[in-house]
Amino acid sequence: PPEDDQTISIAPFDSHDTESVLVHDYLLLKIWEQFGEALASAHARERGYIRLAFQQVQLGPKVSEMLIQAFKTAPLQTLKLKNNVLGHSIMKFVLDALDANASIEALTIDSNRIESEEEAVSLMAAVTKHPRIEKLTLDKCGIGSVLAGTGIVMAVCSLRSVSLRGNDIGSHGARLI
């Protein structure tokens, strides 16, 4: 486990690479299982909060399930998902993570596409009802003017900071927010 309040960052060696790294190969499942156990350990809880960042990573269903189980007891403060290839599964992963862990204070989903109004509504509802989230970053997520108004107004009212940089929310979306 990391030292007090350290960030665990999982990214390819060359973080400037635009390709995502596949990390759910069956040979790596044991390593992911050990990582999940370390996150959820009593030792990790004694050390303080953890900031967890995944950048340019593909998480398969088995790894996602292992991480969600670990999140139930892990002292996560920040969950950052930047430029991952998660498609529709990103919302399931994020919603499950928020449901599993009440200690998350900041959520970043940069450069991941939010594909539908349904996904946006589900995310905003989860963020709004979460007991501790204060900061939400949705930069470059393909949020257009329709998605911008979808529940983000509720979330804006309950958060200290919301970032929507790099989205085409237009004047209509800006007025809604």
Side-chain angles (χ1 to χ4, degrees), residues 8-73:
I8 298 172
S9 194
I10 299 173
F13 293 114
D14 179 9
S15 61
H16 299 293
D17 187 4
T18 58
E19 294 293 317
S20 291
V21 176
L22 184 65
V23 295
H24 62 279
D25 184 273
Y26 74 97
L27 296 173
L28 297 176
L29 285 178
K30 186 67 178 168
I31 294 169
W32 277 106
E33 185 178 321
Q34 292 169 349
F35 177 72
E37 289 169 1
L39 276 179
S41 72
H43 180 68
R45 287 190 301 277
E46 291 168 6
R47 304 282 250 165
Y49 285 109
I50 297 170
R51 293 183 300 269
L52 185 60
F54 292 99
Q55 181 172 336
Q56 293 177 264
V57 174
Q58 287 183 356
L59 298 175
K62 288 187 179 189
V63 172
S64 294
E65 288 172 27
M66 282 188 258
L67 288 173
I68 295 303
Q69 289 303 311
F71 290 173
K72 289 180 180 179
T73 56

Side-chain angles (χ1 to χ4, degrees), residues 75-94:
L76 292 179
Q77 183 179 45
T78 300
L79 179 59
K80 182 184 282 189
L81 303 167
K82 183 175 182 181
N83 199 27
N84 296 287
V85 178
L86 301 174
H88 292 292
S89 66
I90 188 173
M91 279 306 124
K92 180 175 177 2
F93 179 76
V94 170

Side-chain angles (χ1 to χ4, degrees), residues 98-124:
L98 292 175
D99 188 47
N101 193 298
S103 66
I104 297 172
E105 295 176 1
L107 176 63
T108 300
I109 309 176
D110 285 356
S111 302
N112 289 289
R113 298 222 30 104
I114 296 178
E115 304 276 332
S116 70
E117 188 172 334
E118 181 181 329
E119 289 177 347
V121 168
S122 297
L123 175 62
M124 293 309 122

Side-chain angles (χ1 to χ4, degrees), residues 77 94 98 101-108 123 126-137 155 158-161:
Q77 183 179 45
V94 170
L98 292 175
N101 193 298
S103 66
I104 297 172
E105 295 176 1
L107 176 63
T108 300
L123 175 62
V127 166
T128 302
K129 77 174 191 175
H130 194 277
R132 295 195 63 188
I133 288 187
E134 296 179 346
K135 181 178 181 183
L136 177 64
T137 305
S158 67
L159 301 171
R160 285 188 182 183
S161 170

